[in-house]
């Protein structure tokens, strides 16, 4: 299948970026992708090969960094569409929130600016559920694309950076976008098959549980979505005329919790399931421990809170059909075993 249109994917070394490149190449698009260093080209080739890609004739690499102006004009040149997926994700809470906020916001504006000058038709930006659901009381509330996280509320730097970057994007389109169209995807926790040793921080949760690094589990609930479905929703949103100017919450049906995931992981062969703890940490203990363990701070604010999420809009407008949670989690676990990440 031949397709003459060219799509730029920012962040080709990323978990979502690599899966998206796979699907675009399979659909016959020409793909350009930005990576911070061309030395990482071989890593991308490796990941794509692991998903069955054998020809790289339609793939071009551009060295570009979200914190620098160089090469963005070259990256967007002759592209009909831009899928802006690259974004800094911290391993922990930074000392200064601006370490995250400034690159997220400025990087987004760099990409939009370059796209607008190059007459790109549409940018599909990867935002996050972080920009939707972290300041509204979840009791009796169904979260949809209409909701926004209040940046004045007490929220972590990452959540704030995603919200401010998305708001900056919509503001740019309104004030100086001209004919450039914008669509935003807001995924929840992204899981699914890894393509190698590089994967999303959400997948780290499964890795920690399976390798016995989590002796007891906090009672935290969240939405999950498969990386393959996140790639799919971006491509659907890229070409669907009705997606112009819209945000889409990307989540499987329902929510799950870490204790439920632990139970699911026990479906694995015994040698892989044996290290998965099913001991649940009491909520009060998580809150006390958060005073001594900074990595538990964000978790402590969410224990015992169940959020109801709606994916109706994505299903109705884009005819998007996400995988169920069981398949998502078990495929994640299987891939971690396959690549020797879980011994």
């Amino acid at each position: 299948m031949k397709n003459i249109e060219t799509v730029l994917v920012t962040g080709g070394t990323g978990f979502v970026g690599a899966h998206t490149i796979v699907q675009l190449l399979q659909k016959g698009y020409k793909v350009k992708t930005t990576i911070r260093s061309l030395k990482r080209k071989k890593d991308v080739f490796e990941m794509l090969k692991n998903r069955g890609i054998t020809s790289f004739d339609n793939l071009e690499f551009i060295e570009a960094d979200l914190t620098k102006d160089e090469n963005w004009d070259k990256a967007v040149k002759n592209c009909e569409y831009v899928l802006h997926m690259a974004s800094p994700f911290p391993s922990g809470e930074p000392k200064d929130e601006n370490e995250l906020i400034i690159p997220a916001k400025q990087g987004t504006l760099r990409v939009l600016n370059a796209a607008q000058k190059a007459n790109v038709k549409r940018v599909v930006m990867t935002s996050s559920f972080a920009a939707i659901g972290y300041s509204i009381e979840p009791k009796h509330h169904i979260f949809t694309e209409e909701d926004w996280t209040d940046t004045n509320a007490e929220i972590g730097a990452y959540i704030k950076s995603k919200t401010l970057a998305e708001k900056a994007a919509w503001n740019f389109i309104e004030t100086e976008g001209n004919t450039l169209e914008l669509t935003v995807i807001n995924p929840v926790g992204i899981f699914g098959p890894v393509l190698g040793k590089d994967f999303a921080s959400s997948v780290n949760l499964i890795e920690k549980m399976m390798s016995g690094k989590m002796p007891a589990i906090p009672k935290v609930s969240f939405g999950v979505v498969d990386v393959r479905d996140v790639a799919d929703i971006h491509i659907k949103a890229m070409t669907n005329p009705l997606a112009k100017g819209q945000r889409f919450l990307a989540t499987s049906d329902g929510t799950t919790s870490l204790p439920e995931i632990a139970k699911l992981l026990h479906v694995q062969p015994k040698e892989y399931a044996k290290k998965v703890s099913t001991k649940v940490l009491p909520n009060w203990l998580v809150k006390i421990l958060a005073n001594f363990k900074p990595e538990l701070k964000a978790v402590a604010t969410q224990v015992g809170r169940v959020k109801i999420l709606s994916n109706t809009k994505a299903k109705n407008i884009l005819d998007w059909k996400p995988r169920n949670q069981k398949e998502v989690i078990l495929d994640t676990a299987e891939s971690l075993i396959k690549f020797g990440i879980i011994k």
Side-chain angles (χ1 to χ4, degrees):
M1 182 179 162
K2 265 285 175 214
N3 198 317
I4 49 162
E5 289 179 315
T6 303
V7 183
L8 171 69
V9 175
T10 69
T13 54
F15 186 45
V16 181
H19 271 277
T20 306
I21 293 168
V22 167
Q23 291 187 24
L24 287 166
L25 291 173
Q26 286 169 341
K27 289 176 189 293
Y29 286 97
K30 285 184 174 176
V31 181
K32 287 169 133 187
T33 187
T34 60
I35 51 179
R36 277 182 298 189
S37 164
L38 289 178
K39 288 175 188 160
R40 301 265 345 247
K41 257 168 84 165
K42 62 180 189 308
D43 298 332
V44 180
F45 285 141
E46 203 54 47
M47 289 191 280
L48 303 184
K49 280 178 193 163
N50 288 335
R51 275 313 274 181
I53 299 294
T54 51
S55 167
F56 302 103
D57 295 348
N58 281 344
L59 180 62
E60 183 188 340
F61 291 89
I62 315 282
E63 191 169 275
D65 187 317
L66 286 174
T67 61
K68 295 171 186 153
D69 291 331
E70 287 82 12
N71 287 344
W72 285 105
D73 52 348
K74 189 179 165 190
V76 294
K77 194 179 176 189
N78 300 328
C79 290
E80 274 77 21
Y81 303 104
V82 172
L83 302 183
H84 177 40
M85 300 180 147
S87 180
F89 195 105
S91 51
E93 197 69 13
K95 283 195 171 69
D96 178 0
E97 61 178 20
N98 285 318
E99 285 174 35
L100 267 183
I101 293 167
I102 292 168
K105 201 170 156 184
Q106 287 185 351
T108 297
L109 293 174
R110 260 189 191 92
V111 173
L112 289 169
N113 209 7
Q116 191 264 319
K117 284 180 182 159
N119 294 318
V120 165
K121 183 175 173 15
R122 182 179 292 173
V123 172
V124 182
M125 172 186 171
T126 316
S127 181
S128 168
F129 178 68
I132 288 177
Y134 279 85
S135 57
I136 297 164
E137 173 51 53
K139 215 173 182 182
H140 313 305
H141 185 79
I142 297 171
F143 286 91
T144 72
E145 295 80 359
E146 298 299 310
D147 294 314
W148 277 93
T149 294
D150 177 2
T151 52
N152 294 315
E154 212 165 297
I155 51 176
Y158 173 72
I159 293 166
K160 199 169 183 179
S161 76
K162 293 305 280 187
T163 311
L164 290 171
E166 189 189 332
K167 285 196 162 177
W170 288 118
N171 185 53
F172 176 89
I173 292 298
E174 209 178 295
T175 56
E176 45 195 308
N178 294 333
T179 59
L180 180 65
E181 297 173 3
L182 176 67
T183 303
V184 172
I185 308 297
N186 300 77
V188 290
I190 303 171
F191 297 86
V194 304
L195 299 179
K197 306 277 187 196
D198 267 353
F199 44 82
S201 52
S202 41
V203 174
N204 272 332
L205 275 176
I206 308 287
E207 185 270 324
K208 278 183 176 165
M209 289 166 92
M210 290 180 76
S211 51
K213 294 174 196 161
M214 218 185 271
I217 296 163
K219 202 172 180 179
V220 180
S221 297
F222 48 88
V224 308
V225 67
D226 193 287
V227 65
R228 294 163 292 187
D229 297 329
V230 176
D232 177 52
I233 197 173
H234 277 80
I235 297 167
K236 281 183 159 70
M238 178 177 93
T239 54
N240 189 316
L242 299 175
K244 175 189 172 184
Q246 300 290 339
R247 338 161 71 194
F248 293 97
L249 173 48
T251 179
S252 293
D253 296 340
T255 53
T256 189
S257 66
L258 285 179
E260 284 169 324
I261 288 175
K263 276 184 195 162
L264 249 186
L265 292 173
H266 276 267
V267 173
Q268 294 289 321
K270 196 164 181 246
E271 66 270 28
Y272 297 112
K274 65 183 179 189
K275 289 183 182 171
V276 180
S277 171
T278 50
K279 282 183 197 156
V280 178
L281 270 177
N283 295 350
W284 60 267
L285 186 55
V286 176
K287 287 172 181 174
I288 290 170
L289 289 172
N291 295 317
F292 310 100
K293 290 178 173 277
E295 67 273 19
L296 280 177
K297 263 204 173 111
V299 176
T301 62
Q302 300 304 312
V303 287
R305 292 161 79 89
V306 179
K307 294 175 184 178
I308 301 165
L309 318 171
S310 170
N311 55 16
T312 307
K313 184 176 172 182
K315 284 178 169 178
N316 289 349
I317 295 178
L318 301 174
D319 192 29
W320 183 62
K321 297 178 177 74
R323 287 165 174 81
N324 68 62
Q325 293 173 3
K326 184 179 178 183
E327 186 185 343
V328 177
I329 299 303
L330 293 179
D331 283 1
T332 308
E334 207 176 282
S335 70
L336 290 169
I337 294 166
K338 179 186 166 185
F339 286 103
I341 293 154
I342 304 296
K343 300 283 189 286

